[in-house]
Amino acid sequence: MLKDRIGIVSGGTRGIGRAIVKELVAAGAKIAFTYVKSDAEAKKLLQEIAAAGSEALSFKGDVRDYDTCRDFVEQVKAYFGGLDFLVNNAGITRDKAFMTMEKEDWKDVIDVNLTGCFNMARSCIVTFLKQKEGNIVNISSISGISGIARQVNYSASKAGIIGLTRALAQEVAPYNIRVNCIAPGFIETDMLGILKEELKDKFRRAVPLGRFGNPQDIAKTVLFLLSEQSNYITGQVIKVDGGLHTSN
Ligand code: NAP
């Protein structure tokens, strides 16, 4: 579905990002992914992709830094000879009660989750505008739609991603660039792993499909949004949450 298409995935070493990288590579794409700490995971992922006869590129760099993102995008274009799409996946949580939330907890989450999306999208957009073709998929969260207690910083960052998606989609649609976002519910990754079992059980019971999602559930939706099968979809928020949130 994506044969020889060239794309970037931020935060590709673990969890949802890792599943996205593998799904897109399996669909024929050439992928460059970022991470900040997980050198061993990055190496392992590159080895797995190479063993399957495909090619990928890893880049250690923080999405909080605009110049880092811009350099990375230029390196990807030089290495693969072009750029067709961007998946903004890198994200963090710093959950705590609002009355104990320090300004660093707020800033870290907004900087990685929301400013990181801006930095990557802004670094890619001129290329997309010039070639009159491009595709951006941002990973938001159900938390950005309904809000979740003890996630004021995270909910705000993810709601911001929805606003960014809708505004940018309208601005660049005349240039044949689509921008959508996915709002996952509870997905089994390290991010969910830090929650107490008691709380996880409560969340699991609230999911109508009766299970947490797995990273592949999100990766398959990313593939759909990057493929021709979704050619007439832009500016949308696709919830992938097992039925958790059914109103708009
Ligand atoms: P995860 O397992 O914690 O993985 C996060 C990934 O982002 C890692 O590859 C990490 O790199 C990378 N990353 C973190 N900070 C970064 C930074 N400053 N610059 C570049 N890369 C950075 O998280 P996940 O659960 O897969 O979540 C992926 C996305 O889905 C996030 O945006 C998250 O908010 C969203 N989401 C997750 C859930 C869920 O239930 N899991 C639900 C809704 C939305 P390192 O490995 O180097 O740390």
Side-chain angles (χ1 to χ4, degrees), residues 139-206:
I139 307 297
S140 175
S141 169
I142 286 297
S143 182
I145 297 173
S146 59
I148 292 182
R150 301 175 61 87
Q151 286 200 326
V152 168
N153 48 0
Y154 184 77
S155 295
S157 72
K158 293 298 183 178
I161 288 176
I162 292 172
L164 183 157
T165 300
R166 289 176 168 153
L168 185 59
Q170 294 186 50
E171 188 171 326
V172 298
Y175 298 88
N176 190 32
I177 302 165
R178 295 193 291 120
V179 189
N180 289 289
C181 89
I182 296 172
F186 299 113
I187 309 297
E188 293 271 19
T189 69
D190 295 345
M191 190 175 273
L192 205 63
I194 59 174
L195 299 180
K196 288 190 181 126
E197 277 311 313
E198 212 178 277
L199 192 60
K200 280 175 75 173
D201 283 345
K202 185 180 151 199
F203 287 153
R204 196 183 283 109
R205 282 196 299 274

Side-chain angles (χ1 to χ4, degrees), residues 17-39:
R18 189 174 198 282
I20 294 171
V21 170
K22 293 191 80 168
E23 187 77 25
L24 302 184
V25 167
K30 294 173 183 168
I31 298 294
F33 63 87
T34 70
Y35 67 102
V36 266
K37 290 184 291 230
S38 307
D39 294 317

